[in-house]
Amino acid sequence: MDIEILKLKERLEIALELGESHYREFKSGQEGPPENKTNRDVKSVCEDISRTLVAFANADGGELLVGVEDSGQVSGLNYSQEKLEILLNAPKTHVHKNTPLPNFRSRITEYNGKTILYFSIPKGNEFVYLTSDGRCIQRKDLESVPISAEEILFSREETISREYDRNFIENADISDIDIELISHITEQLSIKITPEKFLQHIDLAEFDGNKLRLKRAALLLFAKKPNRWHPRLQVRVIKVAGVELKSGEDFNVINDEEISDNVVKLIESSWEIIRPHLTETKFSKQALFKTQIVYPELACREALINAIAHRDYSIEGRGIEVYVYSDRLEIQSPGELLSSVKVDDLEKQKGVHQSRNSNIAKALREIGYMRELGEGIRRIFELMRNNDLEAPQFESKNKSFKVTLSQKHVYSKEEKLWLDNFSQLNLTREQKTVVRLGTNGKLFSTDDIWEACGIVDTDKYRQLLESMKELGIFRRNFDRNKAYEIAKKSRTSKKEIKQFEIVIPSSFKTSKDGKGKGIEIKQARQVESNDLLDDLSYTKIYVTNIPFDINEIDLTDFFNKFGDVVSVKIPRRFQSKHIRGFAYVEYGNPEDAQNAIKNSSKYELKGRKIYIQKSNYEK
């Protein structure tokens, strides 16, 4: 009993310190002006207790403290023992008899010499809970609000899928986990803990005093033999000749590949088989075969990761399917959207933050693979818009969710007029995207190119700039030394300096503004090879064990002594200012990076030893 009292006291202290929340409510037992407080009517307090506990049970559970003000001040209860017992029984007497509350706890206790009531209740799944007068209420953030029973019932249908990855699998143990994969991840994140502790750290396992209990999410993410735990951990990629899938004699699938693996490996392995289908080779007017990216790679990667992270894994008979048509790409995953997420919300980019697989999503965010659902969708919209492509389309029906990315271009009037100046060059889509950045003489940066084109590796960036250099339409507005000087003075990345412009070859006509007026256009000049190659030979180093109070400016100042730092990136935890303990530093040439790597074991930052190695990381 003493232990139980001690635990309750600790819970009260924590509750009072944290204050009211989605899971916590305070109710006063007094009313009236501060100088003349009186006891509230017991019936009114009983109604408050029942409404709050019903709302918690219809949502995610929670705890209620009666005798505490909204501010967290403990005012206490001055009722007789008989009336306290009436309040203690309110979860039974003031809740509808056909929807009894599940496993609630109620107790009279003392805190700092004052009497309070403590109630706690888990999330309920058996009924839609009602108050004694038939009201249906649900907890939302800091409020208990009316809601229809039908809406709760519809949401309850998702219980299995929502809780699928959270369940413990009793016949699994650490030997079923790919320890080498987790060790590689912790090394990249500079987290020096064992795989067992890492799994507990990201809420995928619990130690019960005898053994490590694994949640299903741990097995889906890291299993050595994933098919033992789920029959359809897979992505299938189907290339279709034409704009619709046919059957029988007209069957038009020209390529069909399927890959299975645990979730972490599946992201990369499936991306490798999708990526070749995102390009096309055409015969140009110059009698050359040209390969161009049809869709922004980052948009496709975001859509793939979202499908893997948010699919309904409780539907075990199907995997993710990617259809590549001649005019569009479709990614179809098992399970419709959650009831709390509407297609309209995604299309209006409201930033929805609901994850069906909360443990899988949290783990993928922790190890840097994804953002919240709403943020990833916004990113896809932005990339498609930057590439002058139609907005993505979504469909949620028949127990499936589909994302469609179209090849159809969309240009503003100004951009169309500007691009008309380059029509004789037969530009690729990504070349047009860069040309669009420089509409009517606007300057743009290296980062602008990466972001607008949705490029995911340096080779693609290098090929793009070289192709535009050969056409004579891309140049630096000022020399690279000035760019370095501006970056150093503004203490920013050189890649963020707007230093490039688009020029029209002199043999082409001057653009018109649509009203017959000529627009002054800068003519192309001969570009020295080395003038642009500086932007094609970036070298990154990977720095670990950095101090947690360091920032990009500190690292730039430290590493500038080895050469000209182009960019510094310090990854931070999702929706947090806290850094992850590692950084990427980018130099303008390999020699400077090698200078930094030499004798790196001797370096310290703010009294902390740091470690440096060459990085394979791409932007």
Side-chain angles (χ1 to χ4, degrees):
M1 180 63 72
D2 290 340
I3 294 176
E4 186 178 345
I5 292 172
L6 178 60
K7 287 183 178 178
L8 179 57
K9 183 179 179 182
E10 289 174 349
R11 292 188 69 89
L12 294 175
E13 288 174 346
I14 294 170
L16 293 170
E17 181 179 347
L18 294 176
E20 293 185 312
S21 73
H22 177 71
Y23 302 96
R24 193 176 304 105
E25 176 80 358
F26 301 152
K27 290 295 181 184
S28 174
Q30 301 177 344
E31 62 184 0
E35 66 280 0
N36 189 27
K37 289 282 187 181
T38 59
N39 287 341
R40 292 176 59 197
D41 178 63
V42 169
K43 182 180 177 181
S44 176
V45 179
C46 283
E47 290 172 350
D48 274 353
I49 293 171
S50 67
R51 279 197 300 265
T52 303
L53 296 182
V54 161
F56 280 142
N58 282 331
D60 300 303
E63 57 185 358
L64 167 66
L65 280 66
V66 183
V68 179
E69 305 302 312
D70 291 343
S71 63
Q73 178 187 355
V74 178
S75 52
L77 298 171
N78 298 314
Y79 297 107
S80 66
Q81 186 63 35
E82 181 184 355
K83 290 185 176 180
L84 288 175
E85 291 293 338
I86 293 174
L87 296 177
L88 203 62
N89 285 318
K92 295 179 180 178
T93 59
H94 285 70
V95 171
H96 200 286
K97 65 179 181 179
N98 292 332
T99 64
L101 293 176
N103 302 321
F104 68 88
R105 293 175 59 196
S106 59
R107 182 149 184 188
I108 303 173
T109 188
E110 297 287 322
Y111 187 85
N112 290 345
K114 294 183 178 179
T115 300
I116 62 174
L117 294 182
Y118 175 81
F119 299 90
S120 69
I121 190 167
K123 176 179 180 177
N125 289 316
E126 188 176 359
F127 304 107
V128 174
Y129 301 94
L130 307 172
T131 60
S132 57
D133 56 358
R135 282 184 288 178
C136 182
I137 304 168
Q138 187 178 59
R139 186 73 171 180
K140 289 189 177 180
D141 296 326
L142 297 178
E143 295 181 310
S144 299
V145 298
I147 188 171
S148 69
E150 289 77 14
E151 189 173 344
I152 293 179
L153 283 170
F154 183 71
S155 178
R156 293 277 172 82
E157 293 176 0
E158 300 170 347
T159 299
I160 295 176
S161 66
R162 280 178 177 269
E163 297 185 354
Y164 184 82
D165 72 330
R166 309 179 200 177
N167 297 327
F168 287 99
I169 307 301
E170 299 303 336
N171 62 331
D173 59 40
I174 195 66
S175 66
D176 295 305
I177 297 294
D178 187 340
I179 298 299
E180 186 178 335
L181 174 60
I182 294 181
S183 297
H184 176 71
I185 290 170
T186 55
E187 180 182 344
Q188 290 292 308
L189 297 176
S190 296
I191 301 176
K192 296 182 178 180
I193 57 176
T194 65
E196 292 87 348
K197 288 185 178 179
F198 178 72
L199 290 172
Q200 294 176 74
H201 169 69
I202 58 175
D203 199 28
L204 298 182
E206 287 184 11
F207 185 70
D208 66 1
N210 295 311
K211 68 172 185 176
L212 189 70
R213 302 176 66 211
L214 298 177
K215 292 183 179 180
R216 183 179 274 110
L219 297 161
L220 297 177
L221 286 157
F222 303 115
K224 284 181 185 175
K225 299 177 180 179
N227 286 343
R228 179 183 173 190
W229 310 103
H230 195 288
R232 289 292 184 270
L233 277 175
Q234 62 186 34
V235 173
R236 182 183 176 195
V237 181
I238 302 118
K239 173 74 171 179
V240 181
V243 297
E244 63 177 321
L245 183 62
K246 299 178 182 179
S247 59
E249 293 182 357
D250 299 322
F251 187 63
N252 57 339
V253 170
I254 56 178
N255 193 67
D256 189 343
E257 278 186 90
E258 185 176 276
I259 190 156
S260 298
D261 216 325
N262 63 47
V263 167
V264 171
K265 289 184 177 179
L266 187 63
I267 289 173
E268 296 303 335
S269 55
S270 61
W271 174 242
E272 288 306 311
I273 65 172
I274 291 173
R275 196 173 180 189
H277 297 293
L278 306 182
T279 63
E280 65 180 12
T281 302
K282 290 186 176 180
F283 194 67
S284 70
K285 293 179 180 178
Q286 291 78 25
L288 296 172
F289 285 103
K290 283 191 174 182
T291 299
Q292 69 176 57
I293 300 173
V294 180
Y295 307 94
E297 289 189 340
L298 278 178
C300 299
R301 187 173 169 86
E302 287 278 4
L304 171 67
I305 292 174
N306 270 326
I308 293 174
H310 300 297
R311 63 157 285 187
D312 187 347
Y313 282 98
S314 69
I315 301 176
E316 297 183 341
R318 291 161 44 206
I320 294 166
E321 295 179 340
V322 180
Y323 292 88
V324 185
Y325 295 95
S326 59
D327 65 340
R328 68 194 186 280
L329 180 142
E330 295 179 356
I331 299 179
Q332 188 167 306
S333 54
E336 297 179 33
L337 288 174
L338 296 175
S339 59
S340 55
V341 182
K342 309 299 181 188
V343 167
D344 187 57
D345 295 335
L346 300 182
E347 292 176 341
K348 292 181 179 177
Q349 304 170 62
K350 291 184 176 180
V352 182
H353 296 285
Q354 285 283 337
S355 299
R356 170 182 279 110
N357 310 304
S358 58
N359 282 282
I360 290 175
K362 177 182 177 182
L364 291 178
R365 288 196 300 271
E366 285 290 323
I367 62 181
Y369 268 111
M370 67 169 292
R371 314 173 190 200
E372 281 281 3
L373 172 63
E375 295 305 309
I377 295 298
R378 281 177 174 173
R379 182 77 172 121
I380 295 171
F381 269 96
E382 179 185 349
L383 288 163
M384 295 296 283
R385 182 171 58 250
N386 287 345
N387 284 270
D388 312 306
L389 295 170
E390 277 192 344
Q393 296 181 342
F394 308 101
E395 185 176 275
S396 180
K397 65 180 183 181
N398 300 326
K399 296 186 178 181
S400 292
F401 177 67
K402 183 169 68 177
V403 178
T404 301
L405 305 180
S406 171
Q407 293 185 27
K408 187 173 181 181
H409 285 80
V410 179
Y411 296 111
S412 69
K413 183 178 180 181
E414 180 188 28
E415 291 163 349
K416 182 69 169 61
L417 289 170
W418 173 252
L419 287 168
D420 283 346
N421 290 289
F422 304 86
S423 58
Q424 297 181 47
L425 290 178
N426 192 30
L427 298 177
T428 65
R429 182 198 57 75
E430 57 267 55
Q431 287 172 339
K432 287 181 180 179
T433 299
V434 177
V435 167
R436 175 177 162 273
L437 287 173
T439 299
N440 293 334
K442 294 177 184 175
L443 295 181
F444 52 94
S445 69
T446 300
D447 269 352
D448 291 334
I449 299 173
W450 279 87
E451 293 297 318
C453 293
I455 299 173
V456 297
D457 69 58
T458 304
D459 284 342
K460 292 291 184 183
Y461 175 74
R462 179 182 291 110
Q463 293 166 14
L464 176 57
L465 259 64
E466 285 177 337
S467 68
M468 300 192 70
K469 175 173 71 70
E470 290 172 2
L471 292 172
I473 61 176
F474 179 86
R475 77 178 181 190
R476 192 191 300 277
N477 188 261
F478 43 81
D479 64 43
R480 62 185 181 185
N481 291 329
K482 184 176 179 181
Y484 277 123
E485 182 183 335
I486 293 173
K488 193 170 183 179
K489 188 175 293 184
S490 60
R491 308 194 85 178
T492 189
S493 162
K494 177 176 173 286
K495 295 173 77 172
E496 297 177 24
I497 302 301
K498 296 188 182 300
Q499 56 183 307
F500 302 118
E501 64 182 340
I502 297 298
V503 290
I504 298 178
S506 56
S507 59
F508 291 3
K509 294 180 180 180
T510 302
S511 175
K512 300 289 183 179
D513 65 358
K515 299 179 181 178
K517 297 180 181 179
I519 302 173
E520 184 180 353
I521 301 295
K522 296 181 180 179
Q523 303 303 313
R525 63 174 175 83
Q526 186 66 32
V527 182
E528 296 292 335
S529 294
N530 291 337
D531 192 30
L532 291 177
L533 286 178
D534 171 61
D535 290 284
L536 306 177
S537 59
Y538 290 112
T539 301
K540 293 184 178 72
I541 61 174
Y542 178 54
V543 187
T544 61
N545 204 42
I546 62 175
F548 285 94
D549 59 346
I550 204 156
N551 57 40
E552 284 82 359
I553 293 174
D554 294 332
L555 282 181
T556 300
D557 290 343
F558 180 85
F559 283 100
N560 258 332
K561 60 188 176 185
F562 306 111
D564 289 316
V565 172
V566 173
S567 173
V568 171
K569 294 186 183 296
I570 305 178
R572 286 168 168 77
R573 299 188 183 280
F574 182 77
Q575 291 187 338
S576 170
K577 296 181 180 179
H578 300 298
I579 68 174
R580 292 183 179 270
F582 62 96
Y584 298 97
V585 178
E586 186 173 5
Y587 285 99
N589 60 70
E591 290 76 19
D592 292 342
Q594 288 301 320
N595 287 337
I597 293 172
K598 288 178 183 176
N599 301 315
S600 61
S601 60
K602 298 180 179 179
Y603 301 152
E604 286 191 0
L605 269 174
K606 298 188 175 182
R608 187 168 184 164
K609 188 175 181 179
I610 60 172
Y611 302 91
I612 304 172
Q613 64 189 59
K614 188 174 180 181
S615 171
N616 294 321
Y617 169 82
E618 299 297 353
K619 183 176 169 71

